[in-house]
């Protein structure tokens, strides 16, 4: 057998297929009344479509699973059908659950065999660059069980004793060392078996899937995030997202 015909571990990892799960079942109350946050328009196109295109922009992503509101799967399927999406990527819509954690688990349950790397991406981060998506995938391919894109913090952070009444003064109890802190974004990337195990074994109050993997005692690694991968949560975020999108269209015809 020649050396060329041998499969090295790194080559095997490189061949792993990637799927992305986008939980989009939330209502987005901080953006005000109206359509669910993922369906709000950004540059005339629903944020969800921008998020789906951001995942499909990676040549490594062969499947995108959108987890829709429990009573809105048909609407989301029609939405995907009505917008141009990359032909090389398959798309699947499944109904979500009552919490983000349950929705991600339902998206995982819907994944067919053969996808060994899973990205979990917020529909409310519609403008993440493809380089960030690829960096997360590459780190999982290199052997990390869980990967998060993250940015250093610009502000000093204080730990406080939460007030019992919103708006009351809160005593500061500590000032963490800012150089050791990161603001975590998505997509977060996982070895599929690790993420499935985390959802099976970890319960309680969790804010992201990487935190669930941490509770298993496994190492989560961070790769550089991007300032344009911010989360659209409040009306001001939507204004900033519109400005970023307008600049992209002006500069490179995005």
């Amino acid at each position: 057998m020649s050396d060329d015909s041998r499969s090295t571990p790194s080559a095997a990892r490189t061949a792993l297929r990637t799927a992305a799960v986008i939980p989009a079942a939330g209502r987005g109350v901080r953006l005000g009344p109206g359509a669910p946050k993922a369906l709000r328009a950004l540059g005339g196109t629903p944020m969800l479509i921008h998020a789906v295109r951001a995942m499909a922009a990676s040549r490594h992503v062969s499947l995108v699973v959108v987890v829709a509101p429990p009573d809105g799967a048909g609407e989301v399927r029609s939405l995907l059908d009505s917008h141009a999406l990359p032909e090389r990527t398959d798309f699947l819509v499944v109904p979500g659950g009552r919490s983000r954690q349950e929705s991600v688990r339902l998206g995982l349950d819907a994944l067919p065999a053969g996808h060994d790397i899973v990205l979990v991406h917020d529909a409310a981060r519609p403008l993440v660059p493809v380089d960030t998506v690829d960096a997360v995938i590459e780190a999982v391919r290199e052997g990390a069980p869980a990967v998060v894109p993250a940015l250093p913090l610009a502000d000093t952070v204080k730990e406080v004793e939460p007030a019992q009444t919103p708006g009351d003064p809160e005593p500061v109890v500590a000032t963490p060392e800012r150089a050791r802190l990161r603001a975590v974004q998505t997509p977060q990337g996982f070895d599929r078996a690790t993420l499935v195990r985390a959802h099976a074994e970890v319960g309680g109050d969790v804010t992201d899937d990487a935190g669930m993997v941490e509770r298993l005692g496994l190492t989560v690694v961070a790769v550089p995030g991007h300032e344009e991968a911010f989360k659209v949560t409040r009306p001001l975020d939507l204004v900033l997202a519109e400005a970023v999108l307008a600049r992209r269209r002006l500069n490179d015809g995005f």
Side-chain angles (χ1 to χ4, degrees):
M1 180 181 296
S2 68
D3 290 342
D4 290 342
S5 64
R6 294 194 193 112
S7 177
T8 66
S10 59
R13 298 292 298 181
T14 301
L16 296 180
R17 299 176 70 199
T18 300
V21 174
I22 302 180
R27 298 298 307 180
V29 294
R30 282 177 286 183
L31 276 178
K37 177 165 55 178
L39 303 185
R40 301 293 179 91
L42 172 59
T45 300
M47 281 200 294
L48 175 60
I49 297 299
H50 287 287
V52 169
R53 286 173 175 167
M55 297 299 98
S58 172
R59 294 181 296 106
H60 307 301
V61 175
S62 57
L63 172 66
V64 177
V65 178
V66 178
V67 187
D71 57 352
E75 180 183 1
V76 170
R77 287 190 191 97
S78 297
L79 192 67
L80 292 180
D81 289 340
S82 65
H83 289 81
L85 300 170
E87 293 184 0
R88 67 170 181 265
T89 307
D90 293 327
F91 301 94
L92 181 64
V93 178
V94 297
R98 291 174 294 179
S99 67
R100 183 184 186 279
Q101 185 176 0
E102 184 180 0
S103 291
V104 172
R105 181 183 57 76
L106 290 169
L108 273 174
D109 289 345
L111 286 181
H115 295 85
D116 298 297
I117 295 176
V118 180
L119 304 179
V120 180
H121 183 57
D122 295 330
R125 297 184 190 271
L127 301 177
V128 57
V130 68
D131 288 350
T132 302
V133 180
D134 287 342
V136 171
I137 295 170
E138 182 61 28
V140 179
R141 284 181 166 179
E142 290 177 354
V147 180
V148 297
L151 291 176
L153 298 185
D155 298 321
T156 296
V157 176
K158 301 289 185 182
E159 181 183 351
V160 301
E161 185 66 40
Q164 293 186 351
T165 303
D168 282 357
E170 298 176 320
V172 172
V173 297
T175 303
E177 185 182 348
R178 187 174 65 184
R180 296 177 60 88
L181 301 177
R182 298 291 183 269
V184 173
Q185 304 173 322
T186 69
Q188 298 182 357
F190 305 90
D191 169 77
R192 178 177 180 169
T194 297
L195 186 57
V196 169
R197 178 188 165 201
H199 276 268
E201 297 183 14
V202 177
D205 185 21
V206 293
T207 58
D208 69 349
D209 296 274
M212 298 171 68
V213 173
E214 288 178 53
R215 292 192 186 184
L216 296 178
L218 301 177
T219 299
V220 176
V221 301
V223 298
H226 196 282
E227 60 184 6
E228 292 181 2
F230 61 89
K231 191 173 186 178
V232 178
T233 303
R234 298 159 295 189
L236 185 59
D237 300 325
L238 195 56
V239 173
L240 178 57
E242 292 278 6
V244 170
L245 189 58
R247 190 203 66 204
R248 286 186 182 182
R249 286 173 170 166
L250 180 63
N251 290 346
D252 40 58
F254 176 80

